[in-house]
Amino acid sequence: MVTVQETIRPSADLRNHYNEISKQCRENKEAVIITVNGRGDTVSLSYEEYKRMKARIELLEILAEADEDVKYGRVMPMKDTFDNLRTILKEDA
């Protein structure tokens, strides 16, 4: 399991120390939680960390759909699946 380090900073820091927060996100791979009046408001991540997190979420969604297909018997023999894929690929060529 991947755990992202988190730091909490007030919104004034975002205005006054943006470059420092940006560097912290990029170099330390940290999520910086920005607070307003002591409550979580926004999260800042490096672009690379955002892409990795988004890819993990998309993969988990695909796996959840596949798990549901198996649970409800929406499966077919592997040979039929690959035959269907070959047919689709030939049509696109």
Side-chain angles (χ1 to χ4, degrees), residues 7-10 12-34 44-46:
T7 300
I8 299 172
R9 297 183 69 160
D13 280 5
L14 186 59
R15 286 189 302 275
N16 300 323
H17 303 285
Y18 173 78
N19 289 336
E20 180 184 317
I21 290 172
S22 177
K23 183 178 178 181
Q24 184 177 0
C25 291
R26 283 190 324 272
E27 292 181 3
N28 301 338
K29 296 183 176 29
E30 284 186 51
V32 177
I33 300 168
I34 305 299
S44 180
L45 295 169
S46 72

PDB file of all heavy atoms in Angstrom, residues 7-10 12-34 44-46:
ATOM      1  N   THR A   7       1.338  17.177   5.186  1.00  0.00           N
ATOM      2  CA  THR A   7       1.693  18.307   6.027  1.00  0.00           C
ATOM      3  C   THR A   7       0.500  19.255   6.012  1.00  0.00           C
ATOM      4  O   THR A   7      -0.154  19.418   4.984  1.00  0.00           O
ATOM      5  CB  THR A   7       2.933  19.037   5.466  1.00  0.00           C
ATOM      6  OG1 THR A   7       4.016  18.120   5.424  1.00  0.00           O
ATOM      7  CG2 THR A   7       3.314  20.224   6.324  1.00  0.00           C
ATOM      8  N   ILE A   8       0.239  19.861   7.138  1.00  0.00           N
ATOM      9  CA  ILE A   8      -0.877  20.805   7.234  1.00  0.00           C
ATOM     10  C   ILE A   8      -0.300  22.218   7.362  1.00  0.00           C
ATOM     11  O   ILE A   8       0.581  22.456   8.179  1.00  0.00           O
ATOM     12  CB  ILE A   8      -1.769  20.477   8.444  1.00  0.00           C
ATOM     13  CG1 ILE A   8      -2.354  19.070   8.273  1.00  0.00           C
ATOM     14  CG2 ILE A   8      -2.869  21.519   8.602  1.00  0.00           C
ATOM     15  CD1 ILE A   8      -3.100  18.560   9.482  1.00  0.00           C
ATOM     16  N   ARG A   9      -0.826  23.112   6.501  1.00  0.00           N
ATOM     17  CA  ARG A   9      -0.361  24.508   6.530  1.00  0.00           C
ATOM     18  C   ARG A   9      -1.557  25.434   6.346  1.00  0.00           C
ATOM     19  O   ARG A   9      -2.501  25.104   5.628  1.00  0.00           O
ATOM     20  CB  ARG A   9       0.664  24.749   5.433  1.00  0.00           C
ATOM     21  CG  ARG A   9       1.922  23.890   5.659  1.00  0.00           C
ATOM     22  CD  ARG A   9       2.970  24.113   4.678  1.00  0.00           C
ATOM     23  NE  ARG A   9       3.573  25.438   4.832  1.00  0.00           N
ATOM     24  CZ  ARG A   9       4.764  25.728   4.339  1.00  0.00           C
ATOM     25  NH1 ARG A   9       5.485  24.814   3.712  1.00  0.00           N
ATOM     26  NH2 ARG A   9       5.254  26.945   4.470  1.00  0.00           N
ATOM     27  N   PRO A  10      -1.508  26.610   6.953  1.00  0.00           N
ATOM     28  CA  PRO A  10      -2.608  27.565   6.803  1.00  0.00           C
ATOM     29  C   PRO A  10      -2.615  28.203   5.410  1.00  0.00           C
ATOM     30  O   PRO A  10      -1.596  28.258   4.733  1.00  0.00           O
ATOM     31  CB  PRO A  10      -2.323  28.610   7.883  1.00  0.00           C
ATOM     32  CG  PRO A  10      -0.854  28.526   8.120  1.00  0.00           C
ATOM     33  CD  PRO A  10      -0.468  27.088   7.867  1.00  0.00           C
ATOM     34  N   ALA A  12      -2.623  31.185   4.541  1.00  0.00           N
ATOM     35  CA  ALA A  12      -1.681  32.310   4.407  1.00  0.00           C
ATOM     36  C   ALA A  12      -0.341  31.816   3.861  1.00  0.00           C
ATOM     37  O   ALA A  12       0.314  32.527   3.092  1.00  0.00           O
ATOM     38  CB  ALA A  12      -1.484  32.999   5.754  1.00  0.00           C
ATOM     39  N   ASP A  13       0.063  30.602   4.238  1.00  0.00           N
ATOM     40  CA  ASP A  13       1.323  30.049   3.713  1.00  0.00           C
ATOM     41  C   ASP A  13       1.243  29.842   2.213  1.00  0.00           C
ATOM     42  O   ASP A  13       2.236  30.001   1.509  1.00  0.00           O
ATOM     43  CB  ASP A  13       1.661  28.721   4.393  1.00  0.00           C
ATOM     44  CG  ASP A  13       2.281  28.899   5.759  1.00  0.00           C
ATOM     45  OD1 ASP A  13       2.371  30.051   6.233  1.00  0.00           O
ATOM     46  OD2 ASP A  13       2.670  27.881   6.362  1.00  0.00           O
ATOM     47  N   LEU A  14       0.085  29.476   1.710  1.00  0.00           N
ATOM     48  CA  LEU A  14      -0.065  29.279   0.264  1.00  0.00           C
ATOM     49  C   LEU A  14       0.167  30.604  -0.460  1.00  0.00           C
ATOM     50  O   LEU A  14       0.851  30.643  -1.482  1.00  0.00           O
ATOM     51  CB  LEU A  14      -1.448  28.714  -0.060  1.00  0.00           C
ATOM     52  CG  LEU A  14      -1.699  28.316  -1.495  1.00  0.00           C
ATOM     53  CD1 LEU A  14      -0.702  27.259  -1.959  1.00  0.00           C
ATOM     54  CD2 LEU A  14      -3.112  27.793  -1.669  1.00  0.00           C
ATOM     55  N   ARG A  15      -0.353  31.666   0.091  1.00  0.00           N
ATOM     56  CA  ARG A  15      -0.160  32.993  -0.518  1.00  0.00           C
ATOM     57  C   ARG A  15       1.290  33.478  -0.365  1.00  0.00           C
ATOM     58  O   ARG A  15       1.871  34.009  -1.299  1.00  0.00           O
ATOM     59  CB  ARG A  15      -1.090  34.014   0.127  1.00  0.00           C
ATOM     60  CG  ARG A  15      -2.530  33.901  -0.268  1.00  0.00           C
ATOM     61  CD  ARG A  15      -3.331  35.095   0.244  1.00  0.00           C
ATOM     62  NE  ARG A  15      -3.275  35.254   1.699  1.00  0.00           N
ATOM     63  CZ  ARG A  15      -4.073  34.613   2.559  1.00  0.00           C
ATOM     64  NH1 ARG A  15      -4.983  33.775   2.097  1.00  0.00           N
ATOM     65  NH2 ARG A  15      -3.970  34.834   3.854  1.00  0.00           N
ATOM     66  N   ASN A  16       1.839  33.281   0.812  1.00  0.00           N
ATOM     67  CA  ASN A  16       3.132  33.874   1.134  1.00  0.00           C
ATOM     68  C   ASN A  16       4.340  32.978   0.872  1.00  0.00           C
ATOM     69  O   ASN A  16       5.464  33.478   0.811  1.00  0.00           O
ATOM     70  CB  ASN A  16       3.153  34.307   2.604  1.00  0.00           C
ATOM     71  CG  ASN A  16       2.079  35.322   2.906  1.00  0.00           C
ATOM     72  OD1 ASN A  16       1.779  36.184   2.085  1.00  0.00           O
ATOM     73  ND2 ASN A  16       1.477  35.216   4.075  1.00  0.00           N
ATOM     74  N   HIS A  17       4.110  31.674   0.755  1.00  0.00           N
ATOM     75  CA  HIS A  17       5.232  30.734   0.603  1.00  0.00           C
ATOM     76  C   HIS A  17       4.950  29.680  -0.472  1.00  0.00           C
ATOM     77  O   HIS A  17       5.289  28.507  -0.308  1.00  0.00           O
ATOM     78  CB  HIS A  17       5.515  30.029   1.939  1.00  0.00           C
ATOM     79  CG  HIS A  17       5.802  30.972   3.055  1.00  0.00           C
ATOM     80  ND1 HIS A  17       7.000  31.631   3.179  1.00  0.00           N
ATOM     81  CD2 HIS A  17       5.032  31.374   4.085  1.00  0.00           C
ATOM     82  CE1 HIS A  17       6.958  32.392   4.254  1.00  0.00           C
ATOM     83  NE2 HIS A  17       5.775  32.264   4.820  1.00  0.00           N
ATOM     84  N   TYR A  18       4.324  30.106  -1.575  1.00  0.00           N
ATOM     85  CA  TYR A  18       3.941  29.146  -2.620  1.00  0.00           C
ATOM     86  C   TYR A  18       5.131  28.327  -3.110  1.00  0.00           C
ATOM     87  O   TYR A  18       5.040  27.102  -3.222  1.00  0.00           O
ATOM     88  CB  TYR A  18       3.277  29.846  -3.813  1.00  0.00           C
ATOM     89  CG  TYR A  18       3.064  28.872  -4.935  1.00  0.00           C
ATOM     90  CD1 TYR A  18       2.006  27.979  -4.897  1.00  0.00           C
ATOM     91  CD2 TYR A  18       3.966  28.782  -5.993  1.00  0.00           C
ATOM     92  CE1 TYR A  18       1.829  27.036  -5.895  1.00  0.00           C
ATOM     93  CE2 TYR A  18       3.802  27.842  -6.991  1.00  0.00           C
ATOM     94  CZ  TYR A  18       2.736  26.971  -6.936  1.00  0.00           C
ATOM     95  OH  TYR A  18       2.583  26.029  -7.920  1.00  0.00           O
ATOM     96  N   ASN A  19       6.243  28.971  -3.427  1.00  0.00           N
ATOM     97  CA  ASN A  19       7.404  28.248  -3.971  1.00  0.00           C
ATOM     98  C   ASN A  19       7.892  27.173  -3.005  1.00  0.00           C
ATOM     99  O   ASN A  19       8.264  26.078  -3.424  1.00  0.00           O
ATOM    100  CB  ASN A  19       8.536  29.209  -4.324  1.00  0.00           C
ATOM    101  CG  ASN A  19       8.203  30.041  -5.545  1.00  0.00           C
ATOM    102  OD1 ASN A  19       7.381  29.648  -6.366  1.00  0.00           O
ATOM    103  ND2 ASN A  19       8.829  31.197  -5.652  1.00  0.00           N
ATOM    104  N   GLU A  20       7.892  27.478  -1.723  1.00  0.00           N
ATOM    105  CA  GLU A  20       8.312  26.511  -0.706  1.00  0.00           C
ATOM    106  C   GLU A  20       7.357  25.311  -0.665  1.00  0.00           C
ATOM    107  O   GLU A  20       7.791  24.159  -0.599  1.00  0.00           O
ATOM    108  CB  GLU A  20       8.334  27.212   0.657  1.00  0.00           C
ATOM    109  CG  GLU A  20       8.751  26.342   1.809  1.00  0.00           C
ATOM    110  CD  GLU A  20       8.643  27.094   3.123  1.00  0.00           C
ATOM    111  OE1 GLU A  20       9.046  28.282   3.182  1.00  0.00           O
ATOM    112  OE2 GLU A  20       8.143  26.489   4.088  1.00  0.00           O
ATOM    113  N   ILE A  21       6.062  25.574  -0.722  1.00  0.00           N
ATOM    114  CA  ILE A  21       5.065  24.502  -0.701  1.00  0.00           C
ATOM    115  C   ILE A  21       5.183  23.653  -1.969  1.00  0.00           C
ATOM    116  O   ILE A  21       5.150  22.419  -1.911  1.00  0.00           O
ATOM    117  CB  ILE A  21       3.642  25.073  -0.544  1.00  0.00           C
ATOM    118  CG1 ILE A  21       3.487  25.644   0.865  1.00  0.00           C
ATOM    119  CG2 ILE A  21       2.587  24.012  -0.821  1.00  0.00           C
ATOM    120  CD1 ILE A  21       2.204  26.417   1.084  1.00  0.00           C
ATOM    121  N   SER A  22       5.350  24.308  -3.105  1.00  0.00           N
ATOM    122  CA  SER A  22       5.505  23.580  -4.367  1.00  0.00           C
ATOM    123  C   SER A  22       6.717  22.653  -4.317  1.00  0.00           C
ATOM    124  O   SER A  22       6.648  21.485  -4.710  1.00  0.00           O
ATOM    125  CB  SER A  22       5.638  24.581  -5.513  1.00  0.00           C
ATOM    126  OG  SER A  22       5.851  23.918  -6.728  1.00  0.00           O
ATOM    127  N   LYS A  23       7.826  23.173  -3.827  1.00  0.00           N
ATOM    128  CA  LYS A  23       9.056  22.378  -3.709  1.00  0.00           C
ATOM    129  C   LYS A  23       8.847  21.207  -2.747  1.00  0.00           C
ATOM    130  O   LYS A  23       9.281  20.086  -3.016  1.00  0.00           O
ATOM    131  CB  LYS A  23      10.192  23.277  -3.218  1.00  0.00           C
ATOM    132  CG  LYS A  23      11.522  22.586  -3.114  1.00  0.00           C
ATOM    133  CD  LYS A  23      12.599  23.568  -2.665  1.00  0.00           C
ATOM    134  CE  LYS A  23      13.931  22.849  -2.508  1.00  0.00           C
ATOM    135  NZ  LYS A  23      14.989  23.776  -2.059  1.00  0.00           N
ATOM    136  N   GLN A  24       8.154  21.463  -1.644  1.00  0.00           N
ATOM    137  CA  GLN A  24       7.867  20.416  -0.659  1.00  0.00           C
ATOM    138  C   GLN A  24       7.054  19.286  -1.306  1.00  0.00           C
ATOM    139  O   GLN A  24       7.341  18.110  -1.095  1.00  0.00           O
ATOM    140  CB  GLN A  24       7.092  21.047   0.498  1.00  0.00           C
ATOM    141  CG  GLN A  24       6.793  20.136   1.655  1.00  0.00           C
ATOM    142  CD  GLN A  24       6.073  20.892   2.773  1.00  0.00           C
ATOM    143  OE1 GLN A  24       5.800  22.085   2.682  1.00  0.00           O
ATOM    144  NE2 GLN A  24       5.762  20.183   3.826  1.00  0.00           N
ATOM    145  N   CYS A  25       6.079  19.637  -2.108  1.00  0.00           N
ATOM    146  CA  CYS A  25       5.245  18.630  -2.786  1.00  0.00           C
ATOM    147  C   CYS A  25       6.073  17.819  -3.775  1.00  0.00           C
ATOM    148  O   CYS A  25       5.966  16.596  -3.822  1.00  0.00           O
ATOM    149  CB  CYS A  25       4.090  19.301  -3.519  1.00  0.00           C
ATOM    150  SG  CYS A  25       2.841  20.036  -2.456  1.00  0.00           S
ATOM    151  N   ARG A  26       6.888  18.507  -4.580  1.00  0.00           N
ATOM    152  CA  ARG A  26       7.669  17.834  -5.621  1.00  0.00           C
ATOM    153  C   ARG A  26       8.788  16.990  -5.046  1.00  0.00           C
ATOM    154  O   ARG A  26       8.920  15.814  -5.376  1.00  0.00           O
ATOM    155  CB  ARG A  26       8.263  18.857  -6.589  1.00  0.00           C
ATOM    156  CG  ARG A  26       7.309  19.420  -7.587  1.00  0.00           C
ATOM    157  CD  ARG A  26       8.032  20.240  -8.661  1.00  0.00           C
ATOM    158  NE  ARG A  26       9.172  20.987  -8.171  1.00  0.00           N
ATOM    159  CZ  ARG A  26       9.133  22.210  -7.655  1.00  0.00           C
ATOM    160  NH1 ARG A  26       7.979  22.830  -7.567  1.00  0.00           N
ATOM    161  NH2 ARG A  26      10.232  22.818  -7.245  1.00  0.00           N
ATOM    162  N   GLU A  27       9.609  17.569  -4.202  1.00  0.00           N
ATOM    163  CA  GLU A  27      10.816  16.878  -3.746  1.00  0.00           C
ATOM    164  C   GLU A  27      10.553  15.827  -2.677  1.00  0.00           C
ATOM    165  O   GLU A  27      11.208  14.791  -2.648  1.00  0.00           O
ATOM    166  CB  GLU A  27      11.838  17.899  -3.238  1.00  0.00           C
ATOM    167  CG  GLU A  27      12.392  18.756  -4.365  1.00  0.00           C
ATOM    168  CD  GLU A  27      13.419  19.762  -3.891  1.00  0.00           C
ATOM    169  OE1 GLU A  27      13.763  19.774  -2.690  1.00  0.00           O
ATOM    170  OE2 GLU A  27      13.891  20.544  -4.744  1.00  0.00           O
ATOM    171  N   ASN A  28       9.592  16.079  -1.800  1.00  0.00           N
ATOM    172  CA  ASN A  28       9.312  15.132  -0.710  1.00  0.00           C
ATOM    173  C   ASN A  28       8.139  14.212  -1.020  1.00  0.00           C
ATOM    174  O   ASN A  28       7.781  13.374  -0.203  1.00  0.00           O
ATOM    175  CB  ASN A  28       9.037  15.895   0.589  1.00  0.00           C
ATOM    176  CG  ASN A  28      10.182  16.770   1.001  1.00  0.00           C
ATOM    177  OD1 ASN A  28      11.319  16.565   0.595  1.00  0.00           O
ATOM    178  ND2 ASN A  28       9.893  17.766   1.814  1.00  0.00           N
ATOM    179  N   LYS A  29       7.525  14.419  -2.207  1.00  0.00           N
ATOM    180  CA  LYS A  29       6.340  13.651  -2.597  1.00  0.00           C
ATOM    181  C   LYS A  29       5.276  13.711  -1.495  1.00  0.00           C
ATOM    182  O   LYS A  29       4.665  12.712  -1.131  1.00  0.00           O
ATOM    183  CB  LYS A  29       6.708  12.208  -2.935  1.00  0.00           C
ATOM    184  CG  LYS A  29       7.611  12.092  -4.146  1.00  0.00           C
ATOM    185  CD  LYS A  29       7.883  10.649  -4.474  1.00  0.00           C
ATOM    186  CE  LYS A  29       8.684  10.382  -5.692  1.00  0.00           C
ATOM    187  NZ  LYS A  29       9.632  11.248  -6.203  1.00  0.00           N
ATOM    188  N   GLU A  30       5.097  14.916  -0.960  1.00  0.00           N
ATOM    189  CA  GLU A  30       4.141  15.138   0.125  1.00  0.00           C
ATOM    190  C   GLU A  30       2.873  15.777  -0.397  1.00  0.00           C
ATOM    191  O   GLU A  30       2.899  16.535  -1.356  1.00  0.00           O
ATOM    192  CB  GLU A  30       4.723  16.093   1.177  1.00  0.00           C
ATOM    193  CG  GLU A  30       5.727  15.487   2.083  1.00  0.00           C
ATOM    194  CD  GLU A  30       6.145  16.459   3.180  1.00  0.00           C
ATOM    195  OE1 GLU A  30       5.248  17.022   3.843  1.00  0.00           O
ATOM    196  OE2 GLU A  30       7.351  16.644   3.360  1.00  0.00           O
ATOM    197  N   ALA A  31       1.785  15.491   0.289  1.00  0.00           N
ATOM    198  CA  ALA A  31       0.543  16.223   0.083  1.00  0.00           C
ATOM    199  C   ALA A  31       0.516  17.309   1.144  1.00  0.00           C
ATOM    200  O   ALA A  31       0.769  17.047   2.311  1.00  0.00           O
ATOM    201  CB  ALA A  31      -0.656  15.296   0.251  1.00  0.00           C
ATOM    202  N   VAL A  32       0.244  18.530   0.734  1.00  0.00           N
ATOM    203  CA  VAL A  32       0.148  19.634   1.682  1.00  0.00           C
ATOM    204  C   VAL A  32      -1.324  20.007   1.792  1.00  0.00           C
ATOM    205  O   VAL A  32      -1.957  20.382   0.805  1.00  0.00           O
ATOM    206  CB  VAL A  32       0.998  20.841   1.235  1.00  0.00           C
ATOM    207  CG1 VAL A  32       0.813  22.006   2.200  1.00  0.00           C
ATOM    208  CG2 VAL A  32       2.470  20.441   1.149  1.00  0.00           C
ATOM    209  N   ILE A  33      -1.858  19.864   2.988  1.00  0.00           N
ATOM    210  CA  ILE A  33      -3.255  20.202   3.249  1.00  0.00           C
ATOM    211  C   ILE A  33      -3.307  21.664   3.665  1.00  0.00           C
ATOM    212  O   ILE A  33      -2.651  22.072   4.614  1.00  0.00           O
ATOM    213  CB  ILE A  33      -3.843  19.299   4.349  1.00  0.00           C
ATOM    214  CG1 ILE A  33      -3.754  17.836   3.908  1.00  0.00           C
ATOM    215  CG2 ILE A  33      -5.280  19.704   4.664  1.00  0.00           C
ATOM    216  CD1 ILE A  33      -4.030  16.846   5.010  1.00  0.00           C
ATOM    217  N   ILE A  34      -4.073  22.449   2.925  1.00  0.00           N
ATOM    218  CA  ILE A  34      -4.222  23.874   3.196  1.00  0.00           C
ATOM    219  C   ILE A  34      -5.487  24.054   4.025  1.00  0.00           C
ATOM    220  O   ILE A  34      -6.555  23.559   3.660  1.00  0.00           O
ATOM    221  CB  ILE A  34      -4.324  24.696   1.894  1.00  0.00           C
ATOM    222  CG1 ILE A  34      -3.117  24.415   0.971  1.00  0.00           C
ATOM    223  CG2 ILE A  34      -4.470  26.170   2.195  1.00  0.00           C
ATOM    224  CD1 ILE A  34      -1.770  24.767   1.555  1.00  0.00           C
ATOM    225  N   SER A  44      -2.661  20.148  -1.917  1.00  0.00           N
ATOM    226  CA  SER A  44      -1.717  20.408  -2.999  1.00  0.00           C
ATOM    227  C   SER A  44      -0.798  19.203  -3.148  1.00  0.00           C
ATOM    228  O   SER A  44      -0.260  18.694  -2.166  1.00  0.00           O
ATOM    229  CB  SER A  44      -0.897  21.657  -2.671  1.00  0.00           C
ATOM    230  OG  SER A  44       0.010  21.930  -3.705  1.00  0.00           O
ATOM    231  N   LEU A  45      -0.665  18.725  -4.390  1.00  0.00           N
ATOM    232  CA  LEU A  45       0.202  17.589  -4.719  1.00  0.00           C
ATOM    233  C   LEU A  45       1.085  17.971  -5.893  1.00  0.00           C
ATOM    234  O   LEU A  45       0.702  18.813  -6.701  1.00  0.00           O
ATOM    235  CB  LEU A  45      -0.627  16.377  -5.181  1.00  0.00           C
ATOM    236  CG  LEU A  45      -1.558  15.697  -4.232  1.00  0.00           C
ATOM    237  CD1 LEU A  45      -2.440  14.724  -5.001  1.00  0.00           C
ATOM    238  CD2 LEU A  45      -0.776  14.953  -3.185  1.00  0.00           C
ATOM    239  N   SER A  46       2.220  17.297  -6.022  1.00  0.00           N
ATOM    240  CA  SER A  46       2.990  17.484  -7.244  1.00  0.00           C
ATOM    241  C   SER A  46       2.187  16.892  -8.398  1.00  0.00           C
ATOM    242  O   SER A  46       1.350  16.005  -8.203  1.00  0.00           O
ATOM    243  CB  SER A  46       4.341  16.788  -7.146  1.00  0.00           C
ATOM    244  OG  SER A  46       4.175  15.379  -7.206  1.00  0.00           O
TER     245      SER A  46
END
